[in-house]
Amino acid sequence: MTGKLVVTNFRSMWLRSLNSSWLRCATSALALCAASAVDVAAAPIPVDLSTWTVVQYELFDQPDASWVLSESNTVATQVVNADASILLSDFDLTNSEIVGTWRVDTTTDDDFIGFVFAYQSRCAFYLFDWKKALQDVADVGMSVKVINTCPGDPDDGDLWTTPAPSPGPLLRHNQVPWVSYTDYRFRLLFAAGEFTIAVTRVSDSVVLESWTVQDATYDGGGFGFYNYSQSDVRYAGFTVAPDAACGDNVVDAEAGEECDDGNNVDGDCCTFNCLVETMPGCVDTTTTTTTTTLLETTTTTLEPPTTTTLPVCPNLCGDPAPVFGLITAVDAGAILRASVSLWECPLCVCDVDNGGTVMASDALADLQFAVGLHVGLACPELLIVGSAR
């Protein structure tokens, strides 16, 4: 059965004028507009949702999903406690990144939100889902699954159950819940054989998860918003950037990058999309463009802005999750996850024994510090000695 797609405005068209040029402006504090046009294909492109279609699964006696679009066609809200449904793009996402935000605007229920990618058909795709609370065989937290049930549709066991870890359909899982009325930004960078997913809480730029997964089940396909039994979920402000270079340790000024520290996470002075981050401990080293006048032709030429970020440690030693203002078991857990490569943590924060790498022993030392044992935390260039408060 086809789900409902409510569209209130058809005026926008997706990916207009990809082959046209336009004047870009430097994003530094004293930005100057360039006098020559640059190719816009590498810049993030706002996504028009009016051309997306609904994929509806019939699993129980819940109603079909109702996807309501804003007048600008840039925000989609799924408003019904419905069976599993996808709002599917009309483009394939390969060698590209997509970035956007989503939130749940109700305290009613605690079920699945997320997205699908490399979508081949109703029975073949990658699924990222996120649950607020444990419910029978559906665990709390984020998961990345391989859905491959062809020729039949996935059933409730495929979509509701949190399966055993890989090898198998579950590629990644954590137990971080989503919270109502909270904005989250997610980033998906997809290439054949490898993809990266990062989830950041917008209010304080805390990175809740960052996974890089090597899997070759699907090498590309459609992208879509996913919802299962959760109402009032708002997906907004999505952009697509073909051939994204942010995170390659090279500042690409023409693509709008102000910095590039080799990753795509917030909280380290260079944001997930390579803009200089304003936060305690960061040094704003953005430079303005320079202008040279050629006397012979009176033509003005602008040099591309070159921006670097000094290596400033984002947090205190042993405190990768500075939510409570002191070192706690939460920080020790974050270090343990970093030790098994579930996320990237700077050595100046997580290498608490200054051993040159982040290991489980660092997590143990951090936990001992958190519970009041007199241990020393000695990250590179930082030193904390004493007991926890």
Side-chain angles (χ1 to χ4, degrees), residues 14-25 27 37-47 93 95-99 238-246 252-257 273 275:
W14 178 65
L15 300 185
R16 293 176 179 171
S17 306
L18 256 184
N19 296 321
S20 67
S21 296
W22 59 303
L23 295 179
R24 290 185 54 83
C25 294
T27 53
V38 297
D39 186 3
V40 302
I45 302 166
V47 173
L93 187 75
N95 296 323
S96 302
E97 72 172 347
I98 187 164
V99 177
F238 285 80
T239 61
V240 175
D243 300 318
C246 179
D252 185 351
E254 287 192 351
E257 293 184 4
N273 57 346
L275 300 178

Side-chain angles (χ1 to χ4, degrees), residues 187 210 246-249 260-266 268 270-274 344 346:
R187 172 184 180 271
S210 180
C246 179
D248 64 359
N249 228 13
D260 196 319
D261 57 355
N263 63 52
N264 298 103
V265 298
D266 291 330
D268 58 0
C270 185
T271 65
F272 77 101
N273 57 346
C274 291
E344 296 181 6

Side-chain angles (χ1 to χ4, degrees), residues 20-374:
S20 67
S21 296
W22 59 303
L23 295 179
R24 290 185 54 83
C25 294
T27 53
S28 56
L30 301 176
L32 297 175
C33 288
S36 60
V38 297
D39 186 3
V40 302
I45 302 166
V47 173
D48 183 344
L49 304 175
S50 66
T51 53
W52 291 29
T53 55
V54 174
V55 178
Q56 181 66 53
Y57 297 94
E58 305 296 344
L59 301 174
F60 290 107
D61 57 357
Q62 295 184 111
D64 291 345
S66 178
W67 295 91
V68 180
L69 301 190
S70 66
E71 184 177 354
S72 64
N73 292 326
T74 59
V75 179
T77 304
Q78 203 293 110
V79 298
V80 177
N81 186 4
D83 270 342
S85 177
I86 299 166
L87 184 61
L88 183 66
S89 70
D90 61 345
F91 58 86
D92 285 351
L93 187 75
T94 304
N95 296 323
S96 302
E97 72 172 347
I98 187 164
V99 177
T101 64
W102 76 118
R103 60 183 283 145
V104 179
D105 284 328
T106 181
T107 56
T108 302
D109 220 345
D110 53 13
D111 291 326
F112 287 109
I113 63 177
F115 57 89
V116 303
F117 56 104
Y119 180 94
Q120 312 293 304
S121 67
R122 294 174 58 93
C123 54
F125 49 87
Y126 289 114
L127 170 63
F128 172 92
D129 61 21
W130 193 5
K131 200 169 187 308
K132 183 179 183 179
L134 172 67
Q135 188 175 353
D136 50 74
V137 294
D139 197 10
V140 60
M142 308 176 196
S143 297
V144 179
K145 307 172 185 176
V146 178
I147 302 299
N148 187 2
T149 63
C150 298
D153 280 355
D155 59 23
D156 187 60
D158 301 306
L159 298 179
W160 185 265
T161 302
T162 304
S166 184
L170 185 65
L171 300 178
R172 293 290 189 276
H173 180 67
N174 66 28
Q175 292 184 313
V176 177
W178 55 261
V179 177
S180 298
Y181 302 106
T182 301
D183 288 307
Y184 299 98
R185 179 172 58 245
F186 83 84
R187 172 184 180 271
L188 168 66
L189 175 62
F190 186 88
E194 181 176 290
F195 55 86
T196 297
I197 296 172
V199 180
T200 303
R201 187 167 56 224
V202 174
S203 62
D204 54 8
S205 296
V206 169
V207 179
L208 301 179
E209 191 55 86
S210 180
W211 285 324
T212 297
V213 180
Q214 285 80 38
D215 187 86
T217 305
Y218 307 120
D219 60 5
F223 174 88
F225 306 147
Y226 175 77
N227 184 280
Y228 188 5
S229 195
Q230 181 59 54
S231 65
D232 300 302
V233 186
R234 182 178 184 270
Y235 306 77
F238 285 80
T239 61
V240 175
D243 300 318
C246 179
D248 64 359
N249 228 13
V250 177
V251 177
D252 185 351
E254 287 192 351
E257 293 184 4
E258 296 180 346
C259 56
D260 196 319
D261 57 355
N263 63 52
N264 298 103
V265 298
D266 291 330
D268 58 0
C269 302
C270 185
T271 65
F272 77 101
N273 57 346
C274 291
L275 300 178
V276 171
E277 195 164 16
T278 302
M279 57 185 296
C282 294
V283 178
D284 185 357
T285 59
T286 55
T287 59
T288 61
T289 57
T290 58
T291 304
T292 302
T293 301
L294 306 179
L295 298 179
E296 296 82 4
T297 61
T298 65
T299 300
T300 300
T301 301
L302 285 175
E303 296 292 334
T306 301
T307 305
T308 58
T309 302
L310 295 178
V312 179
C313 194
N315 298 320
L316 293 177
C317 178
D319 194 15
V323 178
F324 304 106
L326 50 91
I327 294 173
T328 69
V330 173
D331 298 295
I335 294 175
L336 183 61
R337 288 170 50 225
S339 73
V340 293
S341 302
L342 292 181
W343 75 292
E344 296 181 6
C345 182
L347 293 181
C348 64
V349 176
C350 289
D351 182 16
V352 302
D353 63 2
N354 201 7
T357 186
V358 180
M359 301 178 66
S361 57
D362 294 299
L364 177 59
D366 207 53
L367 182 61
Q368 290 173 329
F369 186 94
V371 299
L373 298 180
H374 191 81

